[in-house]
Amino acid sequence: MLRNFTRKALASLAITGAALTATMSPALAEYPEKPVTMVIPLGAGGSHDLNARIITSIIPSYLGQAMIVRLTPGAGGQKGTQEVANSAADGYTLLFTHNYIDMLQQYVENLPYQPLEDFVPVARVNYAPASIIVRADSPFQTFEELVAFAKENPGELQLGHSGNWGAFFVPAAQIMKKLDFVMNMVPYQGGGPAMQALLAGDSDMSLAFPSALGELVEAGKIRVLATAGEERIFEDVPSFTEVGIDGDIGFMHRFVLAPAGTPQEALDELEAAFAQMSEDETFKKLMDRLGESVDPMTGAEYQALREGQAVAYDELVKDLTSQ
């Protein structure tokens, strides 16, 4: 009798223990349990890389884990993007990208992933206006002088950019079409390599975002000829509108995507961490020092903007490639 009772009691305890373990598992597996990797599909030294250094220095305070940057340039941003698309949808591998790679490339390449189906937005960090730049020793003192030379000498000027159909290629193509001139467009693996090519004299002009410009302008290595938008960014540099470039040209959104299927709990934690980071005074000061704005959006807010971009970029590509 005692032996039978003992067996029954042990069996009952085992069942109860299993039930408790099952009940406690979610609590033991609360996200995040380990560092989060943020893949950048661009090269070192560009604006995404510089922004990411600040993000990863501040967000651990709100996420509770380190965030590690992995630069994966190649194929105009597709290499790193595909890597994240193929990664586990567990919240531990994210993509820090921009609107041209995300929503435009699907209209010019046969991608191995579907942007709207394979990714979900976590948060937008900010957006930035592009600047047209030359070396300080360039013979072109103004944007008008550069355009005049390009019209008289079609294809002679070398324009270094961050990759085909990327954040520099698209506005450059729009500007050339709008003002009716041609330059030889040379691709590099990101804004950093494109900047180095310009400084080395391998190209005549390029584009850049504020985070990559400040120190170079102060050091007298770069001259800015015009900046995107209606308003001036630099007091003595005209805006695109002032030099005859109207419309939504030259703006890049920086945002974070996760693989589709990522648990909602993880997405909520990530979105909350990015929102808190955006309100952090140290983060704001560091971004201001970099020359960047802080313009956060939730994942849902950016998804609405993203869907509108898909329609607009379809029309843009058709316009730019029409004969």
Side-chain angles (χ1 to χ4, degrees):
M1 290 287 292
L2 181 61
R3 185 177 297 173
N4 289 338
F5 174 79
T6 302
R7 287 175 180 169
K8 290 179 180 179
L10 289 172
S12 176
L13 285 170
I15 293 170
T16 303
L20 284 171
T21 300
T23 303
M24 292 172 65
S25 292
L28 293 174
E30 286 184 358
Y31 176 89
E33 285 192 309
K34 59 183 181 180
V36 175
T37 296
M38 188 164 69
V39 175
I40 300 178
L42 298 161
S47 65
H48 264 64
D49 184 18
L50 296 173
N51 276 257
R53 294 180 195 180
I54 296 177
I55 292 171
T56 55
S57 71
I58 301 298
I59 202 166
S61 298
Y62 303 105
L63 188 60
Q65 287 286 348
M67 186 171 283
I68 301 167
V69 169
R70 182 161 72 230
L71 297 169
T72 311
Q78 293 175 36
K79 182 179 178 182
T81 304
Q82 184 177 359
E83 176 184 311
V84 179
N86 294 341
S87 68
D90 56 8
Y92 291 102
T93 306
L94 307 174
L95 181 70
F96 186 40
T97 188
H98 62 68
N99 41 304
Y100 298 111
I101 292 175
D102 178 44
M103 283 289 103
L104 187 143
Q105 286 197 351
Q106 61 187 318
Y107 302 115
V108 295
E109 299 283 352
N110 292 319
L111 301 178
Y113 53 84
Q114 297 297 320
L116 285 172
E117 296 177 12
D118 293 341
F119 293 98
V120 57
V122 172
R124 185 186 77 173
V125 177
N126 61 12
Y127 70 97
S131 296
I132 296 171
I133 59 173
V134 294
R135 289 187 311 280
D137 61 358
S138 169
F140 306 115
Q141 299 295 319
T142 67
F143 179 69
E144 289 83 358
E145 291 178 2
L146 185 146
V147 172
F149 182 90
K151 286 185 175 183
E152 294 174 4
N153 305 273
E156 185 171 326
L157 290 181
Q158 303 283 321
L159 187 156
H161 61 86
S162 56
N164 291 337
W165 294 101
F168 297 161
F169 177 98
V170 174
Q174 289 176 290
I175 291 168
M176 286 191 291
K177 187 177 181 72
K178 193 174 190 69
L179 300 182
D180 192 26
F181 68 95
V182 176
M183 287 186 285
N184 182 28
M185 300 178 72
V186 182
Y188 294 89
Q189 290 192 346
M195 178 68 79
Q196 291 304 314
L198 177 67
L199 293 172
D202 295 332
S203 61
D204 299 298
M205 69 158 291
S206 186
L207 289 87
F209 293 102
S211 54
L213 278 178
E215 292 182 1
L216 293 173
V217 172
E218 290 180 9
K221 296 181 178 181
I222 291 294
R223 180 182 304 126
V224 182
L225 300 185
T227 58
E230 298 180 0
E231 304 295 330
R232 291 191 174 194
I233 298 173
F234 302 102
E235 186 176 338
D236 56 346
V237 177
S239 68
F240 277 13
T241 299
E242 292 178 84
V243 296
I245 307 169
D246 295 316
D248 183 20
I249 296 176
F251 289 94
M252 181 180 72
H253 298 265
R254 297 191 189 90
F255 52 92
V256 179
L257 300 176
T262 298
Q264 189 60 48
E265 294 82 0
L267 293 175
D268 290 344
E269 288 291 332
L270 286 164
E271 186 174 289
F274 274 97
Q276 290 173 301
M277 179 194 71
S278 296
E279 295 298 322
D280 186 284
E281 290 302 319
T282 300
F283 178 73
K284 291 178 181 179
K285 289 177 182 177
L286 290 173
M287 292 294 280
D288 182 64
R289 192 176 301 167
L290 196 61
E292 294 287 351
S293 63
V294 177
D295 302 284
M297 275 188 174
T298 66
E301 289 171 337
Y302 192 73
Q303 177 64 12
L305 182 60
R306 196 170 171 240
E307 291 171 0
Q309 289 171 349
V311 176
Y313 289 154
D314 185 16
E315 296 173 356
L316 173 62
V317 171
K318 289 175 181 176
D319 180 55
L320 290 177
T321 56
S322 63
Q323 300 298 322

